[in-house]
C-alpha cells in the first residue's frame, strides 16, 4: 500500500489554497470527536473534490501518470470484466509475461488491485488516470474492437476494402496527427498487427489489431497511394494527400514485404510547414550570427548534416524563408518536397523517369537561379555539380548524412570532390540533433552528486562543459558542474513522459582561413574539429549541456542523442 503522510497532504492543501489554518483546526477537533479520518471530513465538507484530492495524493506519492492517448493495447480489455472497468475506473493498458500495467483512478483501492491480481495471475503495476479519461478511452477501444470484429465477420478477402477498414485507416491517420506523430508504422507479427507512432523522435506502441485484417489495411493504404494491389513480393513507394482540420498534409508511404506479410511506414508532412525562425529551432545567438554571415554571401555552399530525422530540412527551409525575397530566384530539387515555399520553384525527383538529383540540378542551372537547394547530396555526380554551382556564383544549400560538422569534409572528399574546391566553396557546415524539451510545468530541479559527475566524466569532458557554462553565465568562475541546477522529466497527464515537443542542438563550423589551410593540407577530421573548437565552435554535446543548464532539456536526452 502506498503511504501518504498526513502532514504532506495538509501542506499541499494549504499551499494550493484548498484549506486554511482555521479550517484545519476545526477539522482536527471534529476528527477526534467523531473518529472520522481527516480525508473523510474534507470530502464531506466539500473542501475538495475526490478527483482533485486524488491528483494531489498522486503528485505527493510520485505515482506515474497513465498516457491513455499513446499506450493502449486494445487486446487487453477482456482481462477485466466490463462492469469493473466502468464502475471502478480501471483499465489494463500494457502487459508482459509477469506484469500487468493498469490505469486506475484510485491507486489506493487495494481491494480492487488484489482482485485484478487474482483474476489475471500477474503482478499489478499502477498508473493514475482521471475517471472520465478512463471511461472515454474504454469506450473508444470498445468501439474500435467492434469495428474490427465486424470486418472479420464479413470474410475479408485480400483486396476487399470494406467501410470499417476505410474508417480504421482514417482513424489511424487522424489520431497520429492529433498526437503530433511524424511517422506511422503498421507492423504484422505472427498472430497480430502492431500499430506504432513516432512521437518526438521515439517510437511508441499505440494499439494491436487481429492478424486477419492485415491484407485489407495494407490494401487501403496502397489504394490511397496509387500502388499495385497485386504486388506483394517487392517494396513499393508512394504518396497521397489529405486535408485534416483545415490543414493540408502529404503522406510518404513505403510498403515493405516482411516474413509475416507487408509492413507499411508512413511519413507525415504538413505541407504549409511551420513559420520557424533560427531562434525557435534552438540555435544560440552566437551560431545565428555565424549563419547570417554565411547566407548573406553572394555565393558558396551551406551544408546541414546529421542522421535521418534530425531536422536538417527544417533548418534549410528556415534559411530559405530568410532569403526568400522578390529580387531572388529560388529553385529546389527535393525527395520529397516536405514543405511548400511560396515563390520558390520546387521540383520532386523521379528516378523512374530519369529525373535524379544530378539531372535535376543540371536543368536548374539553366533556370537562372540565385539560390539552389539540393535536398540531399547522395553521390559523386551530385556532389561535384553542387560544388560547381557554388563556384559559379550561386548560393547552394544541401544536406549530408554525417555525424558531426567536421565529418562533412571527408565525406565530400570520399565523393571525389577536390579539397581545394571544398575550401573555396563551402561557407558553413551545420550539424544537428533533435532533443525532447522538458515540460516546464512539472520538471524537477536537482543538482548532480559527486558520484554522478564522476560517472559522466567517463563519457564527456567535464572541464570543457564547465568552461562553456561559464561562457554563457550558467556557472560562476570557480564553481563546478555540481553547482548547476539541472532538471529531470516529471510525467503528468499533459506530458506523459515529462517531455513535450523537440528542439535542436547544433554545432556550426565556419570555413575560415585557418580551416581552409587545413583542408588544403589534407588534414584529418579530428584536426579540423580541434581547430574549429579552438576558433570557438560549440560542439553538439556542449550545446546540449547549455540547454540542459537552461532547463530546456535533460542531461539524459543529451547523452541519448550525442553518444556515438
Amino acid at each position: 500500500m502506498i503511504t501518504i503522510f498526513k502532514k504532506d497532504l495538509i501542506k499541499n492543501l494549504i499551499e494550493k489554497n484548498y484549506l486554511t489554518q482555521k479550517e484545519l483546526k476545526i477539522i482536527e477537533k471534529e476528527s477526534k470527536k467523531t473518529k472520522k479520518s481527516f480525508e473523510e471530513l474534507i470530502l464531506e465538507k466539500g473542501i475538495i473534490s475526490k478527483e482533485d484530492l486524488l491528483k494531489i495524493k498522486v503528485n505527493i506519492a510520485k505515482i506515474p501518470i497513465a498516457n491513455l492517448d499513446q499506450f493502449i493495447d486494445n487486446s487487453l480489455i477482456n482481462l477485466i470484466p466490463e462492469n469493473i472497468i466502468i464502475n471502478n475506473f480501471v483499465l489494463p493498458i500494457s502487459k508482459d509475461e509477469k506484469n500487468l500495467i493498469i490505469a486506475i483512478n484510485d491507486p489506493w483501492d487495494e481491494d480492487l488491485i488484489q482482485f485484478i491480481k487474482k483474476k489475471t495471475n500477474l503482478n499489478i503495476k499502477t498508473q493514475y488516470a482521471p475517471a472520465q479519461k478512463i471511461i472515454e478511452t474504454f469506450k473508444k477501444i470498445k468501439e474500435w474492437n467492434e469495428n474490427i470484429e465486424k470486418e472479420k465477420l464479413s470474410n475479408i478477402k485480400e483486396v476487399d476494402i470494406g467501410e470499417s477498414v476505410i474508417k480504421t485507416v482514417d482513424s489511424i491517420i487522424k489520431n497520429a496527427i492529433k498526437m503530433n506523430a511524424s511517422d506511422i508504422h503498421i507492423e504484422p507479427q505472427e498472430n497480430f498487427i502492431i500499430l506504432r507512432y513516432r512521437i518526438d523522435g521515439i517510437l511508441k506502441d499505440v494499439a494491436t489489431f487481429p492478424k486477419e485484417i492485415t491484407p485489407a489495411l495494407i490494401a487501403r493504404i496502397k489504394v490511397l497511394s496509387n500502388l499495385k494491389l497485386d504486388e506483394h513480393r517487392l517494396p513499393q513507394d508512394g504518396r497521397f494527400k489529405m486535408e485534416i482540420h483545415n490543414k493540408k498534409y502529404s503522406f510518404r508511404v513505403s510498403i515493405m514485404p516482411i516474413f509475416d506479410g507487408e509492413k507499411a511506414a508512413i511519413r507525415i508532412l504538413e505541407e504549409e510547414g511551420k513559420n520557424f525562425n533560427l531562434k525557435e529551432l534552438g540555435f544560440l545567438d552566437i551560431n545565428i550570427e555565424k549563419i547570417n554571415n554565411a547566407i548573406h554571401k553572394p555565393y558558396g555552399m551551406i551544408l546541414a548534416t546529421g542522421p535521418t530525422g534530425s531536422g536538417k530540412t527544417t533548418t534549410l527551409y528556415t534559411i530559405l524563408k530568410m532569403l526568400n525575397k522578390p529580387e531572388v530566384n529560388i529553385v529546389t530539387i527535393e525527395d520529397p518536397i516536405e514543405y511548400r515555399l511560396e515563390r520558390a520553384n520546387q521540383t520532386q525527383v523521379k528516378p523512374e523517369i530519369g529525373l535524379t538529383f544530378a539531372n535535376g540540378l543540371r536543368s536548374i542551372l539553366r533556370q537562372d537561379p540565385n539560390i539552389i537547394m539540393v535536398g540531399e547530396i547522395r553521390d559523386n555526380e551530385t556532389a561535384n555539380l553542387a560544388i560547381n554551382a557554388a563556384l559559379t556564383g550561386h548560393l547552394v544549400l544541401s544536406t549530408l548524412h554525417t555525424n558531426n560538422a567536421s565529418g562533412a569534409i571527408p565525406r565530400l572528399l570520399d565523393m571525389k570532390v577536390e579539397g581545394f574546391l571544398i575550401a573555396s566553396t563551402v561557407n558553413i557546415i551545420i550539424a544537428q540533433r533533435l532533443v525532447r524539451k522538458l515540460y516546464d510545468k512539472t520538471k524537477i530541479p536537482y543538482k548532480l552528486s559527486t558520484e554522478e559527475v564522476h560517472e559522466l566524466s567517463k563519457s564527456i569532458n567535464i572541464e570543457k562543459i564547465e568552461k562553456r557554462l561559464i561562457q554563457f553565465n550558467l556557472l560562476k568562475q570557480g564553481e563546478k558542474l555540481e553547482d548547476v541546477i539541472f532538471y529531470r522529466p516529471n510525467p503528468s497527464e499533459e506530458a506523459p513522459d515529462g517531455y513535450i515537443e523537440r528542439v535542436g542542438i547544433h554545432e556550426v563550423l565556419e570555413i575560415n582561413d585557418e580551416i581552409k589551410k587545413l583542408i588544403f593540407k589534407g588534414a584529418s577530421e579530428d584536426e579540423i574539429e580541434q581547430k574549429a573548437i579552438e576558433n570557438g565552435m560549440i560542439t553538439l554535446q556542449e550545446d546540449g549541456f547549455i540547454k540542459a543548464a537552461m532547463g530546456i532539456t535533460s542531461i539524459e536526452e543529451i547523452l541519448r542523442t550525442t553518444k556515438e
Side-chain angles (χ1 to χ4, degrees):
M1 189 72 175
I2 308 159
T3 305
I4 292 287
F5 292 106
K6 184 179 166 185
K7 62 180 176 61
D8 292 328
L9 182 56
I10 290 169
K11 182 186 173 189
N12 269 266
L13 289 167
I14 290 171
E15 282 177 355
K16 294 180 187 298
N17 298 317
Y18 283 106
L19 188 67
T20 64
Q21 290 289 351
K22 186 179 177 182
E23 287 170 327
L24 176 61
K25 286 177 184 176
I26 293 167
I27 289 167
E28 293 282 21
K29 280 184 184 177
E30 193 171 332
S31 180
K32 285 178 185 176
K33 187 177 177 181
T34 62
K35 306 296 182 189
K36 288 184 178 179
S37 72
F38 174 77
E39 287 188 28
E40 279 181 289
L41 286 170
I42 60 173
L43 288 171
E44 271 182 22
K45 294 179 178 298
I47 286 169
I48 190 170
S49 69
K50 185 178 179 184
E51 196 66 59
D52 286 345
L53 177 61
L54 281 168
K55 284 179 183 176
I56 288 173
K57 288 171 68 177
V58 162
N59 188 48
I60 294 169
K62 293 185 168 46
I63 293 168
I65 308 295
N67 183 0
L68 297 184
D69 287 324
Q70 295 178 22
F71 297 104
I72 309 167
D73 186 341
N74 56 323
S75 65
L76 299 178
I77 60 168
N78 295 327
L79 291 176
I80 300 175
E82 185 173 321
N83 66 315
I84 299 291
I85 290 173
I86 292 169
N87 295 327
N88 296 275
F89 310 118
V90 61
L91 189 69
I93 54 174
S94 179
K95 125 178 167 35
D96 56 31
E97 289 180 4
K98 296 180 180 178
N99 304 295
L100 177 68
I101 298 175
I102 59 170
I104 187 168
N105 181 240
D106 186 353
W108 287 270
D109 191 338
E110 197 62 30
D111 290 340
L112 175 59
I113 292 166
Q114 287 304 317
F115 167 80
I116 297 168
K117 185 175 181 178
K118 284 178 185 175
K119 182 159 185 60
T120 61
N121 200 27
L122 293 164
N123 295 323
I124 306 301
K125 295 185 176 181
T126 59
Q127 295 184 1
Y128 167 77
Q132 187 180 351
K133 185 69 177 175
I134 288 172
I135 296 303
E136 284 173 3
T137 306
F138 170 68
K139 286 178 178 175
K140 183 173 74 173
I141 292 171
K142 192 177 176 191
E143 183 181 350
W144 200 330
N145 284 353
E146 284 171 356
N147 280 341
I148 292 165
E149 191 60 34
K150 283 176 191 171
E151 192 66 33
K152 284 170 67 180
L153 293 171
S154 66
N155 296 317
I156 299 169
K157 294 179 183 175
E158 192 160 342
V159 294
D160 176 26
I161 304 166
E163 187 184 349
S164 64
V165 164
I166 292 172
K167 284 181 180 176
T168 300
V169 172
D170 196 46
S171 178
I172 286 169
I173 291 167
K174 285 179 179 176
N175 280 334
I177 287 167
K178 180 184 173 186
M179 291 159 66
N180 293 316
S182 61
D183 298 84
I184 300 167
H185 290 253
I186 297 170
E187 304 174 344
Q189 306 294 304
E190 187 178 357
N191 299 311
F192 54 90
I193 311 167
I194 295 175
L195 172 65
R196 300 202 287 172
Y197 293 159
R198 189 177 293 280
I199 300 167
D200 292 337
I202 307 293
L203 266 176
K204 297 179 179 179
D205 288 5
V206 178
T208 59
F209 301 110
K211 179 69 181 285
E212 292 82 0
I213 71 161
T214 306
L217 279 181
I218 299 298
R220 173 60 183 161
I221 293 164
K222 285 181 178 179
V223 167
L224 286 170
S225 314
N226 200 25
L227 299 176
K228 294 176 182 176
L229 289 171
D230 59 350
E231 178 56 78
H232 306 290
R233 298 172 302 165
L234 294 172
Q236 295 191 74
D237 294 326
R239 55 192 301 137
F240 63 93
K241 295 185 179 187
M242 273 189 179
E243 188 169 316
I244 299 168
H245 307 309
N246 298 318
K247 283 187 178 179
K248 291 179 181 177
Y249 294 89
S250 180
F251 301 87
R252 191 171 79 205
V253 176
S254 170
I255 306 289
M256 174 72 72
I258 61 172
F259 187 80
D260 291 299
E262 289 179 283
K263 176 188 184 297
I266 305 171
R267 168 65 57 89
I268 302 168
L269 304 164
E270 192 176 330
E271 288 207 339
E272 286 82 3
K274 295 178 181 177
N275 291 315
F276 288 122
N277 58 48
L278 293 176
K279 190 85 171 175
E280 287 170 333
L281 294 182
F283 283 93
L284 300 172
D285 289 342
I286 191 172
N287 285 334
I288 292 174
E289 188 180 341
K290 290 178 183 178
I291 293 168
N292 277 325
N293 291 338
I295 68 176
H296 289 108
K297 291 180 179 178
Y299 64 90
M301 183 175 274
I302 293 160
L303 290 172
T305 75
T308 301
S310 60
K312 301 185 296 295
T313 305
T314 302
T315 295
L316 292 189
Y317 269 102
T318 302
I319 292 171
L320 282 179
K321 284 179 181 177
M322 293 164 66
L323 295 166
N324 194 8
K325 295 181 173 63
E327 60 267 26
V328 298
N329 178 21
I330 296 175
V331 188
T332 77
I333 178 86
E334 305 172 62
D335 184 26
I337 296 171
E338 294 199 15
Y339 306 119
R340 295 300 306 276
L341 185 62
E342 194 177 343
R343 300 183 70 95
N345 305 286
Q346 296 170 270
T347 302
Q348 166 73 48
V349 302
K350 293 177 182 173
E352 66 274 15
I353 59 169
L355 181 52
T356 61
F357 276 118
N359 290 338
L361 188 47
R362 283 194 189 91
S363 298
I364 281 172
L365 290 169
R366 295 192 285 272
Q367 287 285 319
D368 185 31
N370 301 100
I371 298 160
I372 300 166
M373 186 177 92
V374 182
E376 185 185 342
I377 295 175
R378 295 176 180 171
D379 54 55
N380 301 4
E381 191 178 10
T382 308
N384 280 286
L385 282 166
I387 288 283
N388 280 303
L391 269 178
T392 53
H394 305 92
L395 190 62
V396 179
L397 287 70
S398 193
T399 70
L400 274 175
H401 284 276
T402 64
N403 287 329
N404 53 22
S406 55
I409 293 163
R411 182 81 181 97
L412 288 172
L413 290 169
D414 287 344
M415 291 180 172
K416 309 302 180 192
V417 179
E418 296 289 347
F420 75 91
L421 290 176
I422 298 169
S424 304
T425 56
V426 178
N427 295 340
I428 204 163
I429 304 169
I430 303 161
Q432 63 184 74
R433 301 287 188 278
L434 292 176
V435 296
R436 291 180 293 171
K437 291 165 67 177
L438 288 162
Y439 186 51
D440 266 337
K441 291 181 182 177
T442 59
K443 64 186 181 185
I444 301 169
Y446 76 102
K447 288 185 178 181
L448 290 166
S449 66
T450 306
E451 293 76 18
E452 286 171 322
V453 172
H454 176 70
E455 193 61 32
L456 274 175
S457 69
K458 295 174 184 177
S459 56
I460 67 168
N461 188 317
I462 300 292
E463 190 180 339
K464 283 185 178 178
I465 297 294
E466 288 172 344
K467 283 180 181 176
R468 284 296 183 205
L469 295 181
I470 289 167
Q471 179 188 343
F472 284 83
N473 299 316
L474 296 165
L475 195 60
K476 291 176 184 173
Q477 202 75 41
E479 287 185 333
K480 296 291 182 185
L481 202 60
E482 292 95 321
D483 298 304
V484 181
I485 296 174
F486 292 105
Y487 293 84
R488 285 194 177 99
N490 184 19
S492 64
E493 192 177 339
E494 298 88 348
D497 295 331
Y499 296 98
I500 194 159
E501 298 180 347
R502 289 189 291 173
V503 70
I505 57 172
H506 310 91
E507 60 185 33
V508 178
L509 171 56
E510 281 184 299
I511 309 298
N512 58 21
D513 290 340
E514 290 180 86
I515 300 293
K516 283 179 183 179
K517 285 175 186 174
L518 287 176
I519 297 171
F520 280 126
K521 280 168 54 182
S524 69
E525 178 182 333
D526 289 343
E527 287 173 312
I528 292 167
E529 182 175 55
Q530 188 53 46
K531 179 55 70 177
I533 291 168
E534 286 173 21
N535 290 341
M537 184 183 80
I538 297 164
T539 66
L540 283 165
Q541 207 165 65
E542 289 168 354
D543 191 10
F545 268 84
I546 289 165
K547 289 184 172 71
M550 288 175 169
I552 295 168
T553 189
S554 66
I555 290 175
E556 291 77 13
E557 271 295 283
I558 301 309
L559 297 178
R560 180 181 70 83
T561 53
T562 60
K563 273 186 177 177
E564 294 174 9

